Amino acid sequence: MRIGTLDTAALIGELRQLHEDAEDPGISRMPADEELFGALLYLEANANALKTEAARRTAATKRVLLWEYVREQADLHQSKAIEHARVAGTEWAELAPALAVKASSAAYNKARRLQAEVLAAMSRSTQAIRRTPEAVREAERLAAIRAAAERHAEEEAARRHTLLAPVAQRLITYRSSLDDDDDVTFWLDQIEALLPDCRTPTQLVSLQKYVEAAVRELRKAERGGALSAATADAQSAYRAAASLLTGQ
């Protein structure tokens, strides 16, 4: 299993509090909560400052957890460094001493094993990937499938945005005839706030949801006769949005 995501600063803060409660005389020298490695070294060196067995047991267990997290992160970031070195033209023979191996083939094999950690992180899984060539190849295959699906989703969102953005803008342009000081106004406000900087896939999805909600409320207003006073341009903007959503 993998530790995965961990709020290390919060855990270091809890350990700091244990030392403060024990009146550790050197606590002022402990690195900041965000300085994980340095803080762990301080806590290790000053473990005896904790006066009770319960406090020492709690602190040591949390340090074990944090060092396991550091181990996971080290593999992940070393793999990224290897990738950057290779992109920069570094040969495997040059990387061998840095990877603590003697031959180019050993450096390559170690890099492939480390790649398993990158793939596990990309999959956001807490299950470790076995460090064998077969397991890494299978993980790479699955990662490629996920990446292709994500690209397709992003491309589809971009396509919808190309159609949706002008329609949403027309709703905002003629909103003075559509506002009802209630639900319609609320959703038009959301569209107007999001539209200028709508770029990420999440924002694109949100824009569609806001337009759908605005159209839903406008339909209610239309059935109640509240849109009869709206200008022809405003009614046209509403019908264009409704037609686009129906077509999708």
Side-chain angles (χ1 to χ4, degrees):
M1 298 294 292
R2 298 178 68 254
I3 298 298
T5 303
L6 198 64
D7 188 345
T8 59
L11 285 171
I12 291 295
E14 293 172 10
L15 291 168
R16 181 189 301 278
Q17 188 61 53
L18 287 175
H19 280 253
E20 289 178 348
D21 292 345
E23 298 181 349
D24 178 356
I27 192 63
S28 62
R29 300 194 304 274
M30 181 176 167
D33 294 351
E34 292 74 21
E35 298 177 27
L36 176 58
F37 188 78
L40 280 171
L41 292 180
Y42 173 88
L43 293 165
E44 178 183 285
N46 294 275
N48 289 334
L50 299 178
K51 295 181 174 62
T52 68
E53 184 176 301
R56 290 193 293 272
R57 184 169 59 247
T58 298
T61 302
K62 288 184 178 179
R63 280 169 38 221
V64 170
L65 171 65
L66 287 164
W67 280 121
E68 182 63 25
Y69 175 81
V70 168
R71 188 193 309 278
E72 289 180 3
Q73 296 305 304
D75 284 346
L76 172 63
H77 291 292
Q78 186 179 34
S79 183
K80 289 181 179 178
I82 293 169
E83 179 186 348
H84 293 166
R86 292 290 294 161
V87 169
T90 307
E91 299 293 335
W92 287 115
E94 298 175 79
L95 282 171
L99 286 167
V101 295
K102 295 181 179 180
S104 300
S105 59
Y108 171 79
N109 289 334
K110 187 169 185 177
R112 291 290 289 172
R113 291 193 298 272
L114 286 170
Q115 181 65 11
E117 298 301 325
V118 176
L119 294 169
M122 287 173 59
S123 68
R124 300 177 180 86
S125 173
T126 58
Q127 186 68 43
I129 294 173
R130 294 176 58 219
R131 293 188 176 196
T132 64
E134 296 79 12
V136 171
R137 281 196 294 272
E138 177 61 12
E140 287 177 332
R141 185 185 71 82
L142 295 175
I145 292 172
R146 285 193 299 271
E150 289 173 2
R151 284 195 303 272
H152 177 73
E154 291 174 2
E155 290 167 359
E156 180 62 19
R159 183 194 68 80
R160 289 198 307 269
H161 181 63
T162 301
L163 301 173
L164 188 62
V167 169
Q169 184 58 59
R170 285 186 66 194
L171 287 173
I172 300 306
T173 299
Y174 301 110
R175 67 171 298 171
S176 60
S177 289
L178 299 172
D179 282 332
D180 66 348
D181 296 324
D182 200 353
D183 290 329
V184 172
T185 297
F186 173 81
W187 290 114
L188 291 177
D189 284 343
Q190 303 307 305
I191 294 169
E192 188 168 18
L194 180 62
L195 197 53
D197 297 311
C198 188
R199 297 184 183 87
T200 69
T202 299
Q203 290 172 325
L204 298 179
V205 170
S206 295
L207 179 62
Q208 173 144 347
K209 290 184 180 299
Y210 295 161
V211 173
E212 288 173 352
V215 168
R216 182 175 62 248
E217 297 304 325
L218 285 166
R219 283 197 179 110
K220 293 179 185 177
E222 183 180 33
R223 287 195 295 270
L227 286 188
S228 58
T231 65
D233 287 334
Q235 293 197 34
S236 176
Y238 152 58
R239 297 191 191 290
S243 176
L244 177 63
L245 295 175
T246 301
Q248 290 184 349

